[in-house]
């Protein structure tokens, strides 16, 4: 099966610093990856669609300058939370679909961000 | 736009009980439907899917049938186990091109021995 890996799985940072989360498709190429944020006891909120070689498409209400997304290759997308604040603390999950697939997404393990 | 409505949990069942988690959706066209499962401390993984009306997805004893007339995709299992304790997400992906996936709120299932 297809594997998507995220790193780091947990990160704790001080308020005001920036944190980068990586998402890799290990055994397939993904021109499109998706970044989700999961709030406690709530569903997954799509933050943005990451497109290889072009700018990400952000969902309404998501600050593109705070959540920087770079999709530099067909197997790697990164999410950088800039000038993090405690309210940015959350579980961030990336996903990718194989280009030839009918719709199944493969998810990373998620990254737990805690901003002190 | 597309939306998914699923019952809020938590749902607590005894081992070997019958499980139903309701899911209904709103979408134009012919979406693909999914159930994802998230075990404690882990990411999401696909449990089953159905891509057209009347399709039945099944995996690990779980089943769900794509009902276009009732716009539903209810998840069922005849006899749950403690290891089935997890959060279950109903989701849909719109038709036409590479569309984003919309998730329901998730239903936490706890199975007690």
């Amino acid at each position: 099966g297809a594997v998507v890996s995220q790193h780091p799985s947990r990160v704790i940072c001080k308020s005001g610093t920036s944190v980068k989360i990586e998402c890799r498709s290990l055994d397939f190429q993904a021109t499109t990856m998706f970044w989700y944020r999961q709030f406690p006891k709530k569903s997954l909120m799509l933050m943005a669609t990451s497109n290889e070689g072009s700018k990400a498409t952000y969902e309404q209400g998501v600050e593109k300058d705070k959540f920087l997304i770079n999709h530099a290759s067909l197997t790697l997308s990164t999410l950088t939370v800039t000038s993090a604040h405690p309210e940015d603390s959350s579980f961030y999950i990336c996903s990718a679909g194989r280009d030839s697939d009918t719709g199944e997404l493969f998810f990373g393990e998620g990254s737990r961000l805690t901003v002190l | 736009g597309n939306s998914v409505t699923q019952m809020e949990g938590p749902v607590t069942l005894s081992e070997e009980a019958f499980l139903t988690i309701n899911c209904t959706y709103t979408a134009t066209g012919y979406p693909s439907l999914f159930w994802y499962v998230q075990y404690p401390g882990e990411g999401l993984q696909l449990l089953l899917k159905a891509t057209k009306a009347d399709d039945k997805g099944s995996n690990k004893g779980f089943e769900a049938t794509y009902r276009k007339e009732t716009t539903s995709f209810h998840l069922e299992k005849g006899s749950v186990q403690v290891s089935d304790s997890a959060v279950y997400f109903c989701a849909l992906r719109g038709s036409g091109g590479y569309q984003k996936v919309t998730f329901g709120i998730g239903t936490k299932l706890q199975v007690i021995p």
Side-chain angles (χ1 to χ4, degrees), chain A:
Chain A
V3 178
V4 175
S5 178
Q6 265 182 259
H7 177 80
S9 58
R10 294 179 184 274
V11 57
I12 300 173
C13 70
K14 293 182 179 180
S15 187
T17 61
S18 294
V19 174
K20 180 185 286 187
I21 301 170
E22 293 185 346
C23 177
R24 295 181 184 273
S25 55
L26 298 186
D27 52 359
F28 68 100
Q29 294 183 333
T31 55
T32 303
M33 292 184 174
F34 302 90
W35 285 96
Y36 289 85
R37 182 173 177 177
Q38 187 176 22
F39 294 92
K41 300 183 180 181
K42 290 186 180 290
S43 185
L44 286 78
M45 180 192 79
L46 178 65
M47 299 175 65
T49 303
S50 171
N51 304 298
E52 188 267 336
S54 63
K55 291 183 179 180
T57 303
Y58 289 83
E59 295 299 302
Q60 190 173 10
V62 177
E63 299 176 62
K64 60 181 67 176
D65 293 332
K66 168 169 263 312
F67 300 100
L68 300 179
I69 292 173
N70 186 305
H71 195 151
S73 76
L74 287 171
T75 59
L76 173 65
S77 175
T78 60
L79 168 68
T80 301
V81 183
T82 63
S83 187
H85 291 284
E87 58 266 29
D88 299 325
S89 298
S90 193
F91 195 57
Y92 294 89
I93 305 176
C94 74
S95 68
R98 285 180 297 204
D99 293 340
S100 60
D101 200 75
T102 57
E104 178 182 353
L105 290 181
F106 301 91
F107 286 82
E109 310 93 325
S111 299
R112 173 75 62 190
L113 170 63
T114 302
V115 184
L116 303 176

Side-chain angles (χ1 to χ4, degrees), chain B residues 1-5 23-34 50-51 66-73 90-96 99-103:
Chain B
N2 297 338
S3 67
V4 176
T5 302
C23 172
T24 57
Y25 68 90
T26 302
T28 56
Y30 302 93
S32 296
L33 302 175
F34 307 86
T51 57
Y66 188 143
R67 301 285 189 200
K68 191 165 178 62
E69 63 276 13
T70 55
T71 61
S72 64
F73 193 55
C90 185
L92 75 80
R93 182 178 177 186
S95 57
Q99 302 253 1
K100 64 185 181 183
V101 176
T102 301
F103 288 86

